[in-house]
């Protein structure tokens, strides 16, 4: 329409939770958005997708983006009201509680379910599926813009896209970040994680399911952490009759191939994992692991906090901005809050003052995420019995009560609070 002001345009690279959340937030702030994703189509379920936890702030943010917020909670998530750490005695085959926090106000969701809710609430033309980022450069003639080149994987065609803002939501191995930080390397944690989701919808009355419910009586509302010598596991229930489990195993750094820290596993690797599970965990948990189809292996990395996450009109969000270990249930929550803060800042300053908006985004998010990444690293090393400079290796069988308080997730910096600097942008996170 003649005389209508052109909307600013953002190009987001990466269509996972961080990218799709940023699309919602920037559209709400008045931007045109394109999401480039190298996979060929929207996920209809993910073979390597697993469970995640949403804190109250993330729940509110997501509800502000979708048309039926209460249905989201009811149809997509399951309550997690308890955070419990317990020690496993592999000889006696019993668990003993170390810490229990009954004020844990999270919701559990499957990755694919959350992604589906966020994706279906956006116009389909926002997404360019099967588009691989090749290069980009910033142009400062007549105002700053970003020129992006991408390859259409199905045809081999090279396309050029011009935007006012480039958002790197391309994960912990971000190629956009690598352009600005060519010497950047991820830090291997010292352990990997077996992960799996057991669908028990057709075996609900089996010995395995009745056994696990007896051994873990608060499944359906509790996030369970089982600790043994030099290892720990996670167990909680998801909606639609599923159990999500994780088992962290100390091992030397593997050779990571390609652009993923998730790997497919052989039947021999799975068999050995099952054998070891029977030695370490109580029989009920070992059976759940054994009956899970297609378990997979994550190599656990993080990085030292970055000094900056903004260059010109290029900005990092999610794991591209702050690769983290999973122990504080922060990765998804940090991504959603990154997206929300970025949208609030751009709305506050307007596209004509994008530099100020990005500076404020960085000043709000970087101090918080840096503390959370380092806290998650520390918590993972404690639970895995690894060395820390200021304390002895943690042995759950010998731990004193005061030692166990470090295990509580509530101790994570800014765990339940919206930072004051974010509150200064808007009086209500849900508007």
């Amino acid at each position: 329409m003649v005389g209508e002001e052109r909307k600013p345009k953002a190009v987001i690279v990466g269509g996972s939770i961080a990218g799709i959340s940023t699309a919602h937030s920037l559209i709400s702030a008045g931007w045109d958005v394109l999401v480039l994703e190298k996979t060929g189509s929207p996920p209809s379920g993910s073979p390597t997708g697993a469970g995640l936890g949403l804190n109250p702030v993330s729940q509110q943010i997501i509800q502000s983006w979708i048309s039926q917020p209460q249905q989201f909670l009811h149809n997509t998530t399951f309550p997690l009201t308890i955070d419990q750490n317990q020690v496993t005695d592999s000889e006696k085959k019993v668990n003993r509680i170390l810490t229990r926090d009954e004020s844990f106000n999270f919701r559990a969701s499957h990755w694919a379910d959350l992604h589906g809710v966020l994706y279906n609430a956006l116009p389909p033309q926002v997404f360019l599926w099967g588009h691989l980022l090749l290069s980009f450069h910033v142009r400062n003639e007549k105002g700053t813009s970003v020129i992006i080149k991408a390859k259409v994987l199905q045809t081999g065609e090279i396309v050029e896209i011009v935007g006012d803002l480039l958002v790197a939501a391309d994960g912990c191995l971000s190629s956009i970040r690598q352009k600005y930080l060519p010497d950047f390397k991820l830090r291997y944690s010292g352990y990997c994680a077996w992960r799996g989701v057991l669908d028990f919808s057709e075996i609900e009355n089996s010995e395995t399911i009745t056994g696990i419910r007896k051994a873990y009586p608060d499944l359906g509302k509790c996030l369970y952490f089982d600790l043994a010598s030099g290892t720990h596991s996670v167990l909680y229930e998801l909606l639609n009759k599923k159990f999500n489990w994780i088992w962290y195993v100390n091992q030397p750094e593997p050779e990571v191939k390609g652009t993923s820290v998730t790997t497919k596993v052989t039947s021999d690797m799975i068999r050995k994992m099952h054998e070891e599970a029977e030695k370490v965990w109580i029989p009920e948990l070992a059976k759940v692991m054994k009956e899970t189809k297609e378990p997979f292996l994550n190599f656990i990395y993080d990085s030292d906090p970055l000094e900056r996450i903004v260059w010109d009109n290029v900005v990092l969000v999610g794991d591209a901005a702050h690769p983290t270990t999973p122990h504080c249930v922060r990765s998804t929550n940090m991504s959603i809050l990154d997206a929300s803060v970025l949208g609030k800042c751009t709305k506050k300053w307007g596209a004509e003052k994008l530099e100020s908006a990005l500076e404020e985004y960085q000043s709000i998010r970087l101090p918080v995420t840096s503390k959370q990444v380092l806290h998650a690293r520390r918590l993972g090393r404690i639970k895995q019995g690894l060395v820390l400079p200021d304390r002895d290796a943690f042995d759950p069988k010998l731990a004193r009560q005061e030692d166990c308080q470090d295990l509580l997730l509530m101790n994570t910096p800014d765990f339940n609070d919206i930072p004051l600097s974010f509150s200064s942008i808007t009086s209500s996170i849900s508007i």
Side-chain angles (χ1 to χ4, degrees), residues 158-174:
I158 306 300
V159 297
E160 185 174 280
I161 303 166
V162 181
D164 301 290
L165 172 66
L166 175 61
V167 181
D170 51 346
C172 65
L173 295 170
S174 169

Side-chain angles (χ1 to χ4, degrees), residues 42 56 89 131 163 192 211 250 256 269 289 298 320 349 356 381 404 429:
D89 188 323
H131 282 60
C192 64
N250 294 338
V256 177
M269 293 169 67
M289 293 179 176
N298 269 149
W349 288 96
S356 297
R381 294 191 68 83
C404 297
I429 201 165

Side-chain angles (χ1 to χ4, degrees), residues 28 60 64-65 344 347 425-431:
S28 297
Q60 293 173 36
S64 75
W65 290 336
K344 300 295 185 186
K347 186 173 184 179
I425 297 178
T426 174
S427 60
S428 172
I429 201 165
S430 60
I431 62 172

Side-chain angles (χ1 to χ4, degrees), residues 377-391:
R377 177 188 299 183
R378 177 179 177 83
L379 184 57
R381 294 191 68 83
I382 290 173
K383 290 190 173 185
Q384 286 298 105
L386 296 171
V387 174
L388 283 165
D390 61 341
R391 62 175 294 162

